[in-house]
């Protein structure tokens, strides 16, 4: 669940950035792809953090554990906050120089930090902490695990088609410089991450099916043994 919520949260932040940053018309969608991929890795880290803390602190009675929410929210804040504090992020238009420090601190910094770091981290942490609490209370652990694997696969498929969807309507690249290659490079990265998620989901589904078959076989043998002993 962290993978998908992270991709959606930081992908939305990338959408906001793409509407506020000048770029070649065919490269405008690039922040969306970067944001979605970044969200996959951050969401994965936040999801594992929530899972480990939920196991350590036990079952949560309420909507979510505030301690888990605070921990995963902080984890989501750290990378973007560090990057923003060390200076403006590189422009996606390769020939433009980065924003000077006197123009970056503090208005531009605050805007970028809130929209690109705080809000997506908050949204992802809310989903992850809530799901961790719900799955911790649920008596059907295998079903929750199956749902997580299925959602991961759906998220991977969406990532595979994201470059085509996000760049729909954009004009064809023109020229022969680095600015033409940026879309293709970003698209390949997004698709590779999407394929890895789909592969992970398929492996998880195969493992779940095999586990279910083994349990059925054990139950069948136990039933035969009980009948034989009777």
């Amino acid at each position: 669940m962290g993978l998908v919520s992270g991709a959606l949260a930081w992908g939305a932040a990338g959408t906001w950035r793409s509407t506020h940053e000048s770029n070649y018309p065919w490269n405008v969608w690039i922040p969306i792809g970067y944001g979605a991929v970044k969200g996959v890795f951050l969401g994965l880290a936040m999801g594992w953090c929530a899972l480990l803390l939920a196991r350590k602190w036990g079952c949560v009675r309420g909507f979510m554990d505030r301690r888990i929410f605070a921990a995963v929210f902080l984890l989501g804040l750290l990378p973007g906050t560090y990057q923003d504090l060390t200076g403006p992020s590189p422009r996606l238009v390769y020939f433009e120089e980065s924003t000077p420090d006197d123009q970056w601190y503090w208005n531009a910094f605050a805007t970028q930090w809130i929209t690109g770091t705080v809000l997506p981290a908050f949204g992802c942490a809310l989903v992850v902490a809530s799901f961790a609490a719900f799955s911790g209370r649920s008596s059907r652990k295998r079903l929750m695990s199956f749902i997580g694997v299925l959602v991961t696969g759906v998220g991977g498929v969406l990532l595979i088609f994201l470059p085509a969807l996000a760049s729909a309507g954009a004009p064809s690249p023109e020229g022969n410089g680095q600015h033409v290659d940026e879309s293709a490079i970003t698209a390949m990265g997004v698709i590779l991450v999407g394929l890895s998620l789909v592969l992970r989901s398929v492996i998880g589904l195969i493992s779940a099916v095999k586990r279910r078959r083994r349990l059925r076989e054990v139950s069948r043998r136990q039933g035969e043994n009980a009948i034989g002993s009777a």
Side-chain angles (χ1 to χ4, degrees):
M1 190 61 67
L3 294 169
V4 177
S5 60
L8 290 174
W10 271 276
T15 302
W16 182 91
R17 182 180 179 183
S18 69
T19 60
H20 291 78
E21 184 173 83
S22 299
N23 207 332
Y24 293 103
W26 54 85
N27 284 342
V28 171
W29 75 276
I30 286 180
I32 304 175
Y34 281 159
V37 171
K38 177 181 179 180
V40 166
F41 292 103
L42 286 177
L44 177 63
M46 295 168 71
W48 275 108
C49 178
L51 178 63
L52 294 175
L53 293 179
R55 289 178 178 177
K56 179 179 180 179
W57 292 331
C59 181
V60 181
R61 295 183 179 276
F63 174 69
M64 66 178 178
D65 192 316
R66 295 180 180 178
R67 297 172 298 175
I68 295 179
F69 172 79
V72 296
F73 180 48
L74 180 62
L75 180 60
L77 282 179
L78 287 178
T81 301
Y82 174 79
Q83 181 181 2
D84 292 338
L85 285 175
T86 53
S89 57
R91 292 294 185 91
L92 295 179
V93 182
Y94 75 97
F95 58 82
E96 289 188 7
E97 296 181 357
S98 298
T99 305
D101 288 347
D102 58 347
Q103 298 179 18
W104 174 250
Y105 302 103
W106 290 96
N107 292 336
F109 162 80
T111 301
Q112 170 65 23
W113 184 64
I114 292 173
T115 58
T117 300
V118 176
L119 292 180
F122 180 86
C124 185
L126 188 64
V127 174
V128 168
S130 302
F131 186 77
F134 179 75
S135 60
R137 293 193 303 269
S138 177
S139 58
R140 308 185 69 177
K141 305 294 185 182
R142 292 173 187 162
L143 177 61
M144 299 302 298
S145 177
F146 176 79
I147 292 175
V149 171
L150 191 61
V151 169
T152 299
V154 173
V157 173
L158 292 177
L159 277 180
I160 292 174
F161 289 100
L162 176 63
L165 296 174
S167 61
S172 301
E174 299 177 5
N176 57 1
Q178 180 180 342
H179 65 281
V180 178
D181 301 330
E182 289 297 325
S183 287
I185 295 172
T186 305
M188 286 189 292
V190 174
I191 292 173
L192 285 176
V193 173
L195 287 174
S196 67
L197 294 185
V198 172
L199 179 61
R200 181 177 183 272
S201 178
V202 170
I203 294 175
L205 290 175
I206 293 175
S207 300
V209 171
K210 289 182 178 180
R211 190 183 307 112
R212 186 174 181 84
R213 287 180 178 177
R214 286 197 301 268
L215 291 175
R216 285 183 176 180
E217 182 67 20
V218 171
S219 299
R220 184 182 63 82
R221 291 179 179 178
Q222 289 177 347
E224 291 177 351
N225 293 334
I227 293 174
S229 60

